[in-house]
Amino acid sequence: GMEYIDSYVFNKAEYIRFNSTVGRFVGYTEHGVKNAEAWNSDAGFLGQVQAQLESYCKHNADIDYSAILDKT
């Protein structure tokens, strides 16, 4: 399978991450945890993120996969 991770970094420190396997945001600092709770509880926002990932990742994975097959 494929996993997509979207990290948010401030002052070189990761404070929040979206992990497609978990399907939600995880916070790593006090600020990140608060954001993660807010974003995870917003079903509309979470659904939008997952839908964008679905279309973006699947589309690009298919292109990359066919490019790899063409070269082998």
Side-chain angles (χ1 to χ4, degrees):
M2 191 170 44
E3 181 176 66
Y4 175 84
I5 292 177
D6 191 13
S7 293
Y8 296 75
V9 176
F10 180 73
N11 283 348
K12 298 182 182 167
E14 182 181 26
Y15 68 93
I16 192 168
R17 171 191 290 187
F18 179 84
N19 182 324
S20 66
T21 303
V22 183
R24 57 197 288 114
F25 290 91
V26 179
Y28 295 99
T29 64
E30 192 179 345
H31 177 66
V33 169
K34 282 181 183 161
N35 272 351
E37 283 173 2
W39 294 353
N40 288 331
S41 65
D42 185 340
F45 179 66
L46 212 53
Q48 197 179 333
V49 171
Q50 289 167 332
Q52 285 170 347
L53 284 179
E54 193 73 13
S55 61
Y56 175 81
C57 288
K58 285 235 160 45
H59 173 73
N60 286 297
D62 291 344
I63 291 171
D64 292 344
Y65 189 63
S66 61
I68 291 165
L69 289 181
D70 289 345
K71 286 182 175 68
T72 54

